[in-house]
Amino acid sequence: MSTHEMDVYDVTIIGGGPAGMYAAFYSGMRAMRTKIIEAKTELGGFMRTYPEKLVWDVGGVDPIPCEQLIDSLERQARTFDPTIVFGQEIAHLERLADNSFVITAKSGERHYSRTLILCAGRGMTQVQKLDVEGANRYELTNLHYTITDLSRFKDKRVLISGGGDSAVDWANEIVKWTKHVTVAHRRDQFTAHELPVAEMKASATVMTPYSISRLHGVGDKIEKVALEHAETGAIEHLDVDEVVVSHGFDRDFGELLNWGLAKEDYGMTVDPRMRTSIPGIFGAGDCITYGSKVRLIAGAFNDAVLAVNSAKLYMEPTASDMAGVSSHNARFFEKNKTILQNY
């Protein structure tokens, strides 16, 4: 089959999280024929794990629940009508004679593209569950690994186990609803950002270095938790109504790591222009790493812009280095007229 007989895209984006969605929008600004392939059944990526979590650090956007931010990003991603494919986990990579790529999903579907942008986020994540005997019996009642409804914690005594950004952010959100919040962390130092940690310490009881050693329940609900001191082994018992475990996620990039891409401990290696070790393949977001990498949603947007620009120049070396700013970009002329008519 020749490339003329194949449906070849300019860029195929693997992953539909914030980096993938913004890459789709920006590639439209650069007049590139674009496809997104998402392994799950909806866009949003890892942000779907925390739909009610407030996001504060996106430039120019008021604090906004994750779910609403996803909706805005998806509307933006669809501005130039990219093709979006759901439910396909990409496995195999092959370079064709004309230097384009064919990537194959585990289900057998084949996709053809001149360039690829890896926006796989944290991969196919699996929550790290609480390794305590009998913990699974409480998962349908008052042991939580994610939070979808803050109101269920109203006037409750809540224990949060964890020391990363998610644990601290949840503590700061839940405390507005609860009777009392206790945060237990197995280390003295938290890995979350400094300001949220300071806010948490001002409003919640913090127990370090402690970890959950046993759950005491009546029927299918936890009523008391045993917390063990990491150094002395001393046990403290805590009466609780709800327990939130935020111990992170196991990352699995599947077959992507078998493509021969250079990688480090925390993702695929890219250069400052988001180029991977395989020509024609670029990266953006949490799945990549480089010296000045910023692991924020805002950082993912910048990665996406650089990756798209590099993909454009890979195909057309004489193209401009970047798209024109939106106020002067020809792709927006007609859209601007429609929008301004509604003001």
Side-chain angles (χ1 to χ4, degrees), residues 264-282:
E264 300 175 40
D265 290 341
Y266 205 88
M268 277 71 80
T269 306
V270 298
D271 68 10
R273 300 193 66 176
M274 303 300 111
R275 296 176 293 199
T276 72
S277 58
I278 299 178
I281 301 181
F282 310 89

Side-chain angles (χ1 to χ4, degrees), residues 191-242:
T191 58
H193 295 293
E194 296 92 339
L195 181 58
V197 170
E199 293 174 355
M200 174 194 67
K201 289 181 176 179
S203 60
T205 298
V206 175
M207 297 181 66
T208 61
Y210 280 92
S211 60
I212 297 173
S213 61
R214 190 172 179 183
L215 303 173
H216 300 277
V218 175
D220 60 357
K221 294 193 71 173
I222 305 166
E223 292 194 343
K224 190 185 296 287
V225 175
L227 296 169
E228 181 177 353
H229 194 280
E231 297 169 359
T232 67
I235 300 294
E236 297 282 346
H237 289 93
L238 188 69
D239 293 326
V240 299
D241 299 305
E242 307 282 348

Side-chain angles (χ1 to χ4, degrees), residues 91-111:
H92 302 294
L93 170 74
E94 178 184 354
R95 191 184 286 275
L96 302 178
D98 66 352
N99 222 27
S100 63
F101 299 99
V102 54
I103 52 177
T104 307
K106 285 187 175 180
S107 52
E109 288 87 349
R110 292 162 68 86
H111 304 272

Side-chain angles (χ1 to χ4, degrees), residues 167-182:
V168 173
D169 288 346
W170 280 131
N172 289 330
E173 289 299 317
I174 290 174
V175 75
K176 303 167 188 175
W177 293 81
T178 61
K179 180 178 181 181
H180 187 79
V181 173
T182 301

Side-chain angles (χ1 to χ4, degrees), residues 100-151:
S100 63
F101 299 99
V102 54
I103 52 177
T104 307
K106 285 187 175 180
S107 52
E109 288 87 349
R110 292 162 68 86
H111 304 272
Y112 300 89
S113 192
R114 294 182 176 86
T115 65
L116 303 174
I117 300 180
L118 305 181
C119 298
R122 305 186 185 196
M124 300 295 287
T125 55
Q126 183 68 37
V127 67
Q128 292 184 10
K129 294 195 172 184
L130 182 63
D131 187 17
V132 172
E133 183 180 357
N136 61 333
R137 79 179 68 164
Y138 304 112
E139 290 180 9
L140 297 179
T141 53
N142 63 340
L143 175 62
H144 313 278
Y145 292 103
T146 187
I147 296 172
T148 58
D149 181 8
L150 288 169
S151 64

